[in-house]
Amino acid sequence: MKIIWGFLTSVLLWTIFWVPSVNAAEPRKMIIPYTPLTGASTPFWIAIEEKLFQKYGLEIAPLFISGGSSTIVPAMTAGQFDIGAVGGGAVVLNRFGGGDLITIGAQTGVYTTDCFAKPEIKSIRDLKGRTIAVTRFGTSTHFAGLSMLRLSGLKPTDVVFIQIGGSAEAIAGLSRGRVDAAMLGYPASDVALKKGFRQLTELAKNEDGAFPTTAIAARESWLKDPKNHEGALNFLRAFTEGLTLARTDAAISKKVLRKYTRVDDEAVLQATFEYYRQYFGETLKVNEKSYANLLQLLDHPKAKDADPKRFFDNSLLEQIPR
């Protein structure tokens, strides 16, 4: 009897502690639209490839949107996506238009886009009357272009901005002479240098270089549901771990860069890792100064008196221990 009782006890314990794992809660599935297709997205890609999202009960399907923030934001507003990786400027424009997008994190708080031009163009002022490629109006590449002009005393009307699409299209536009300059981030910027184009700016090193180039956005109305609040928190937990690896692990970073950007040049991949490790933050917390600078660039009647704190919320990130 003791043997039988011991066996039954073992079975009971196994049932209690092991069977539930078979019926464990299904991971929460989310499609996450993102931009840009540059090294700035490395933390996100690492969180996917290293299964960090799964660690926190999420199954994430990344969806790159070539139209950038201007395409992602309307879809988020319509409820098609719950969380998206966009440019910070898109969040501001959305809220000015009556939307409720809010930035809940940002992996970069400075410009990580610079201007690359034909070799004969030697300064920003030489761009007067020229064409400059950006992803779309209202995206981070456009804001970087506006900031560049402001630094040199030029006005937006002194140049012609062309909405060209992604980095590949911008490089092609430069190579074929369709545009005179393009706003690019790594690894495309290193490709441009290797093709003989001239780098005109280092915006991140400027004293006004703070800018929400990348933003993790969600709708405030969606976040009010406790389940969604927890889902967003878990998303940020995984993304934060991806951010740490993007700053410290060259091998993993280059692996995801190779896969998602389709760049296979080891020197370019290493340069991309080295560049972004300088500008990725230690956390995803949003810098107020970045939104203050953005508001100064906006030609919008609501921008002048807007409070930068209206566009971001670090409260979720404050729940994540460093």
Side-chain angles (χ1 to χ4, degrees):
M1 287 297 293
K2 288 183 179 179
I3 294 174
I4 294 173
W5 176 250
F7 173 76
L8 291 173
T9 302
S10 297
V11 171
L12 178 62
L13 290 173
W14 185 89
T15 302
I16 292 171
F17 291 106
W18 291 97
V19 172
S21 65
V22 176
N23 299 315
E26 288 290 321
R28 179 169 185 161
K29 298 180 180 180
M30 302 176 74
I31 298 174
I32 304 296
Y34 75 93
T35 188
L37 198 64
T38 71
S41 295
T42 301
F44 180 48
W45 295 332
I46 288 176
I48 293 166
E49 297 299 317
E50 296 299 307
K51 303 187 185 307
L52 300 178
F53 288 119
Q54 290 173 252
K55 175 180 174 181
Y56 292 102
L58 301 175
E59 186 177 316
I60 300 299
L63 178 63
F64 173 65
I65 304 294
S66 61
S69 304
S70 58
T71 302
I72 295 173
V73 167
M76 290 186 68
T77 301
Q80 187 175 349
F81 305 110
D82 300 319
I83 296 176
V86 299
V91 174
V92 174
L93 292 172
N94 171 264
R95 293 184 76 86
F96 281 168
D100 71 339
L101 286 191
I102 190 77
T103 300
I104 58 174
Q107 63 264 42
T108 58
V110 296
Y111 287 108
T112 54
T113 300
D114 281 299
C115 185
F116 294 79
K118 294 177 178 178
E120 63 268 24
I121 299 174
K122 298 181 180 180
S123 70
I124 298 172
R125 293 200 65 82
D126 290 343
L127 290 170
K128 190 169 184 178
R130 305 272 193 159
T131 54
I132 304 174
V134 298
T135 305
R136 290 285 185 274
F137 298 148
T139 63
S140 291
T141 55
H142 185 211
F143 281 112
L146 293 174
S147 181
M148 169 187 70
L149 297 178
R150 185 178 183 184
L151 285 173
S152 195
L154 294 178
K155 296 177 291 187
T157 52
D158 287 331
V159 302
V160 178
F161 284 111
I162 293 180
Q163 302 179 98
I164 205 166
S167 299
E169 291 84 356
I171 291 289
L174 275 173
S175 300
R176 296 168 185 167
R178 181 184 170 192
V179 296
D180 299 303
M183 305 306 298
L184 300 168
Y186 273 85
S189 55
D190 206 51
V191 173
L193 289 173
K194 290 181 181 297
K195 286 180 174 290
F197 296 106
R198 185 189 300 274
Q199 182 171 351
L200 297 183
T201 63
E202 288 186 278
L203 294 175
K205 295 182 178 180
N206 186 270
E207 61 181 278
D208 291 326
F211 188 85
T213 299
T214 57
I216 302 166
R219 298 189 315 280
E220 283 190 297
S221 54
W222 178 80
L223 288 169
K224 288 180 180 179
D225 185 316
K227 290 183 179 179
N228 295 338
H229 186 277
E230 185 63 23
L233 183 56
N234 284 332
F235 183 88
L236 292 174
R237 286 183 175 121
F239 207 119
T240 295
E241 292 186 17
L243 177 66
T244 298
L245 289 172
R247 293 174 52 246
T248 60
D249 196 312
I252 290 177
S253 296
K254 288 187 287 186
K255 180 180 72 173
V256 301
L257 282 165
R258 184 178 284 107
K259 176 177 179 176
Y260 286 91
T261 67
R262 299 183 181 180
V263 171
D264 201 35
D265 186 313
E266 179 64 23
V268 172
L269 294 172
Q270 183 65 33
T272 302
F273 168 71
E274 296 292 345
Y275 176 83
Y276 280 100
R277 74 185 302 185
Q278 302 175 78
Y279 301 120
F280 283 141
E282 292 186 8
T283 75
L284 292 169
K285 288 185 178 178
V286 182
N287 177 6
E288 181 180 342
K289 178 65 174 175
S290 66
Y291 272 100
N293 285 347
L294 189 158
L295 289 168
Q296 292 179 22
L297 293 173
L298 274 176
D299 182 18
H300 193 286
K302 295 182 179 180
K304 182 179 179 181
D305 300 318
D307 182 354
K309 295 178 182 178
R310 176 186 169 193
F311 307 103
F312 67 92
D313 182 358
N314 283 327
S315 63
L316 282 166
L317 289 166
E318 288 167 356
Q319 299 176 50
I320 301 175
R322 289 183 59 182

